[in-house]
Structure formats: C-alpha cells, structure tokens
Amino acid sequence: MAVFVALGAFVMTLVGGWTAGRVTDRRHLVLGLAGGLMLGVVGLDLLPEALEAAGGPVFGVPAALLLAVAGFLFAHVVERLLALRRTAHGAAEHPGGRVPEVGLTAAAAMVGHSVMDGVAIGAAFQVGGGMGVAVAVAVIAHDFADGFNTYTITRLYGNARRKAVAMLLADAAAPVVGAATTLAFTIPEQLLGGYLGFFGGALLYLAAAEILPEAHHDHPARSTLLCTVAGAAFIWLVVGIAE
C-alpha cells in the first residue's frame, strides 16, 4: 500500500516539473514562485519536524537549528569551492557566475529528500493506515513543489534541459524507492530529524542567496513578489491540511 500511494507522489512531482518547464517565458515569475515554495518548505515543514525529532539542545541551541546553520554553510562552501575549481581549470561559468555542478548537486539533494519522503510514507503505514494516508496526502501535495524546484534549480545554473528532465525523473521515482525500502528497515527518528535540519539549511541558502535575488534582478516587479508570497502560502496551506 505504501509503494502504491507513493506513485501519487511520482505523478505530482512530474506535474510540478512540467509546470516549471512550460512557463520559461515568465522566468522571473517561475523563480519567484520557486523561492517562495522553498522558503515555505524550510520554515513551515522541514524545520518544525526537525525540531521535534533531532534531539535536545547542544550548548543551549537546539540540535536541529545547529544542523540547519551547518547545512546553510555547507551549501555556500560547496558553491564557492566548485566556482574556484572551475576558474582554476579555465572552465566557463554560466552567465551570472553560476556553476552548473552546483545546480546538479542541489537537484541531487532534492532527490535524496524525496527518498526520505517515501520513507516517511512507509513508516507512517507501519504505524497505521490512518497515519499513512495523512502523511501520504501531505507528501503528495508538496511533491508538486519538489518537482517544480528540482527542474527550476537545475536549469537556473545553466544545465541543459535533458539534465533537468533526468533529475526530475529521478526526483519523481525517489518516493517510490523510499517507500519500498521501509519493507526492510526504518530510520531512527533522531537521525531523520538531524537530516531534515541540515537539508533545510541548504535549501534556505539556495532560496535566499541564489533563487530570489535572480528572480528580482531583471524583473523587480510586484508580480514576482506576489509569486514568492503565494509559494510560501501554498506550503502553509499544505501543512495546515496535513495537520
């Protein structure tokens, strides 16, 4: 049942990526929406769950928040190191100074997160059918945002469309794989909470330092800002329905 339900996440992820690919003539709106979706996912979904599951404080600071800061810094360091490496080898950067490998790395992290979504579905069904359905609805709803963001961020860093589609397909299949793994084992709650905090920090960096500045760089329009707010509000709605 968990694997069957995860197929819904597969379809919704593809729909999100297809939507992102179809509105390329409104790139600033796409980026504004993607930034809002990512901020909403981090602030309203990932970090609250991480704070509950990651364990107690470390030197007075919740472990989940420490890992979120670590994830933010990790994403920044990786981006800078890849940029320096390409410069040292004379490789051309994407216009705007962006390194294509960063987009692929970020998309791969999204795929990893989608695997964990599938694990969450499977674990919830192990608790009970009602819990499984509730978690599945939440995952399927926000997998639209995952597909949208995976495609958008891959393309933002100058990668070819075929690579963006490949990452989208991997992201779509990931929840099914994650749900299937729960037939064999479960992940400790504290480890899962730490992962959510770290991943949330990395996503926050990409949204705040890369996607939103790019969205407003050439088109500082009110419509772009409204798309960002709408993206965050959509995640709020999804979280509220899931609760």
Side-chain angles (χ1 to χ4, degrees):
M1 177 61 71
V3 175
F4 177 77
V5 170
L7 291 174
F10 174 88
V11 173
M12 190 60 74
T13 301
L14 292 180
V15 170
W18 178 85
T19 302
R22 293 287 292 180
V23 290
T24 52
D25 58 330
R26 293 289 184 270
R27 184 171 178 270
H28 59 292
L29 298 180
V30 172
L31 293 175
L33 179 61
L37 290 171
M38 292 177 75
L39 288 173
V41 166
V42 172
L44 306 177
D45 186 17
L46 298 184
L47 289 184
E49 290 187 28
L51 286 168
E52 289 184 6
V58 179
F59 289 104
V61 179
L65 296 184
L66 284 175
L67 287 166
V69 172
F72 188 99
L73 293 174
F74 177 78
H76 176 60
V77 169
V78 167
E79 182 187 34
R80 290 298 89 206
L81 288 178
L82 286 174
L84 290 172
R85 180 175 178 274
R86 288 180 64 84
T87 301
H89 288 80
E93 292 184 348
H94 181 255
R98 289 181 169 79
V99 183
E101 287 85 352
V102 173
L104 293 175
T105 301
M110 296 292 292
V111 173
H113 176 61
S114 292
V115 171
M116 301 306 295
D117 281 345
V119 170
I121 293 175
F125 271 100
Q126 290 178 358
V127 174
M131 176 67 73
V133 171
V135 172
V137 169
V139 169
I140 289 172
H142 93 251
D143 271 353
F144 174 87
D146 284 352
F148 192 98
N149 289 334
T150 297
Y151 185 91
T152 299
I153 202 166
T154 305
R155 293 288 284 151
L156 173 65
Y157 280 84
N159 291 286
R161 184 177 179 275
R162 61 182 177 79
K163 290 186 178 181
V165 171
M167 296 307 299
L168 175 63
L169 290 173
D171 191 46
V176 181
V177 174
T181 62
T182 60
L183 300 176
F185 65 91
T186 57
I187 296 177
E189 182 181 17
Q190 190 168 347
L191 180 61
L192 180 60
Y195 158 78
L196 290 175
F198 187 85
F199 179 69
L203 277 190
L204 184 62
Y205 173 80
L206 294 172
E210 299 293 330
I211 292 180
L212 289 178
E214 179 70 13
H216 293 277
H217 177 65
D218 294 326
H219 298 274
R222 185 178 302 172
S223 57
T224 307
L225 180 60
L226 289 176
C227 282
T228 302
V229 174
F234 172 75
I235 299 300
W236 185 18
L237 176 64
V238 169
V239 172
I241 292 174
E243 294 294 330

